[in-house]
């Protein structure tokens, strides 16, 4: 069983910063791409940022230049540094990992995905 546990959310004023963390634990052989998504009330979940094992990153246009995704491959943890926060960044933030649970998955080329429980980020104006 694989678990993803997010932390670091909270209430912050516009222009402020927060740093989210997501630790992956459990039966893992390897982790590929790690992502952060967010979902605001009444809206669909959207991809915010992603990072490959080698550190290549991609961002939604709405957060480029303000958010930074990073990862620690030893700790199996992904981070999201959020700067210059805006009220429209208010949402529940979820991490997601593409992983292989065992050597058998690796041999078969099988990939699995799991979600964290989410952490609330609220930005006041």
């Amino acid at each position: 069983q694989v678990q993803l546990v997010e932390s670091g959310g909270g209430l912050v004023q516009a222009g402020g910063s927060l740093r989210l963390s997501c630790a992956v634990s459990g039966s893992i052989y390897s982790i590929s791409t790690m992502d952060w998504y967010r979902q605001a009330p009444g809206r669909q979940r959207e991809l915010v940022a992603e990072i490959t094992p080698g550190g290549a990153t991609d961002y939604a246009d709405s957060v480029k230049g303000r958010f930074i995704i990073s990862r620690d491959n030893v700790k199996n943890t992904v981070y999201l540094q959020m700067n210059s926060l805006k009220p429209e960044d208010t949402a529940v933030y979820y991490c997601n990992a593409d992983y292989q649970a065992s050597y058998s998955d690796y041999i078969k080329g099988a990939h699995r995905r799991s979600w964290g429980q989410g952490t609330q980020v609220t930005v006041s104006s």
Side-chain angles (χ1 to χ4, degrees), residues 23-79:
V24 183
S25 63
S27 177
I28 298 172
Y29 179 78
S30 67
I31 301 176
S32 181
T33 303
M34 302 180 83
D35 311 309
W36 284 99
Y37 285 75
R38 67 185 180 188
Q39 187 166 20
R43 302 190 67 176
Q44 287 189 329
R45 192 171 296 188
E46 62 173 351
L47 178 64
V48 175
E50 63 181 5
I51 185 167
T52 68
T57 59
D58 197 14
Y59 298 91
D61 288 342
S62 58
V63 306
K64 280 181 181 176
R66 299 188 297 122
F67 290 11
I68 301 171
I69 188 171
S70 61
R71 65 191 283 172
D72 184 327
N73 291 329
V74 174
K75 295 181 179 179
N76 287 341
T77 300
V78 62
Y79 306 95

Side-chain angles (χ1 to χ4, degrees), residues 2 13 23 30 37 39-40 55 61 79 84 89 92-93 99-100 108 115 121:
V2 172
Q13 288 188 330
S30 67
Y37 285 75
Q39 187 166 20
D61 288 342
Y79 306 95
S84 301
D89 294 318
V92 178
Y93 284 71
Y99 68 96
Q100 294 174 316
K108 295 175 185 177
W115 293 90
V121 171

Side-chain angles (χ1 to χ4, degrees), residues 9-13 18 85-87 89-91 93 120-124:
L11 173 64
V12 64
Q13 288 188 330
L18 283 174
L85 282 161
K86 304 175 181 180
D89 294 318
T90 295
Y93 284 71
Q120 177 70 47
V121 171
T122 302
V123 185
S124 62

